[in-house]
Every structure is written in C-alpha cells, then in structure tokens.
Amino acid sequence: LLVLSYPLLFPTGSSTAQTVTQTQPDTSVRETETVTLHCKFDTSDTHYYLFWYKQPPGGEMSFIIRQEFYNQENATEDRFSVNFQKAKKSFGLRISDSRLEDAATYFCAFTGGTVT
Ligand SMILES: *[C@@H]1O[C@H](CO)[C@@H](O)[C@H](O)[C@H]1NC(C)=O
C-alpha cells in the first residue's frame, strides 16, 4: 500500500493570470493498481506546457512528464501518462502498475505565454 499526497496549490509565479489547482485529498493505492491524480489549469495563454513532478518523502523533487498544448495525444513516459483534456482544462497524471517507489507528493505545474 502506498500513499500519494498532494499540495493544496502550486502557484506558478507568473505575471499573467495562470493557475493550476490540485484539489484532491491524499490517496492510497495498492501495488499494481492504476491511479489518476487530478490537476486543473486556467489560462488565456495561447502556448503552454504542463508538467508533473514528484517528491518522495525526504527526497528531492524530480521531473516526471510534460504535456505540450498542441499535442493531440496524451504524453506517455514508462508507467506514467497524462490525461490531457484541453477543453476541460485538466491534465491528470495516470500511474499504472503502481509500485512502492511511487509513494510521494505529486506536484503539477504550468508554464505558458502568448505569441502574438
Ligand atoms: C487523453 O486520454 C483521455 C482518456 O482516455 C481522453 O479522454 C483524452 O481525449 C486524451 N487526450 C488527448 C490529448 O489525446
């Protein structure tokens, strides 16, 4: 059994109006199960990138996966994939075949800009 925990909010620190919101309580999942962590974004930027990071207990934060705004497919990296729903402004992280090493705090993040 592993526990995935979430920060309440991960501010993006940008001058334009952009937010990402994580509103899910800590989640427990059994090994080998698939779990999806939720994250929503809100922006008026024309170009943006969405990221997921993980930080194990007592460990350092590391990059997992990136989704480009123009990508027509969900980004996939090993057992991790993004559930990118552009219209719903959501980009969940799907973890399949969960392992003990997945126990961590997961952060979603956003960076973007407008090209005129
Ligand atoms: C990602 O996967 C979800 C669930 O299968 C699907 O609803 C969504 O359209 C996919 N997004 C992209 C960009 O392919």
Side-chain angles (χ1 to χ4, degrees):
L1 194 70
L2 54 146
V3 175
L4 312 173
S5 63
Y6 304 78
L8 286 178
L9 184 67
F10 192 65
T12 53
S14 167
S15 53
T16 57
Q18 306 166 338
T19 56
V20 294
T21 319
Q22 291 177 280
T23 53
Q24 193 172 318
D26 289 0
T27 298
S28 296
V29 59
R30 288 180 197 288
E31 286 180 80
T32 74
E33 284 181 353
T34 295
V35 62
T36 301
L37 313 184
H38 300 287
C39 190
K40 301 205 75 166
F41 64 99
D42 191 14
T43 185
S44 52
D45 289 348
T46 58
H47 292 51
Y48 54 85
Y49 301 92
L50 305 162
F51 305 86
W52 278 96
Y53 293 85
K54 71 179 276 195
Q55 185 165 26
E60 296 198 353
M61 192 180 298
S62 63
F63 166 78
I64 305 173
I65 201 167
R66 179 182 77 170
Q67 177 78 45
E68 296 98 353
F69 71 98
Y70 54 79
N71 199 337
Q72 303 295 321
E73 292 177 3
N74 287 308
T76 301
E77 193 66 53
D78 189 24
R79 296 180 298 109
F80 298 93
S81 63
V82 179
N83 182 351
F84 179 40
Q85 303 197 330
K86 207 172 193 173
K88 288 186 174 174
K89 298 193 168 180
S90 106
F91 65 113
L93 177 70
R94 196 185 299 121
I95 306 174
S96 60
D97 188 21
S98 298
R99 298 175 189 172
L100 283 176
E101 70 210 44
D102 296 332
T105 298
Y106 288 81
F107 299 84
C108 57
F110 171 102
T111 185
T114 294
V115 178
T116 52

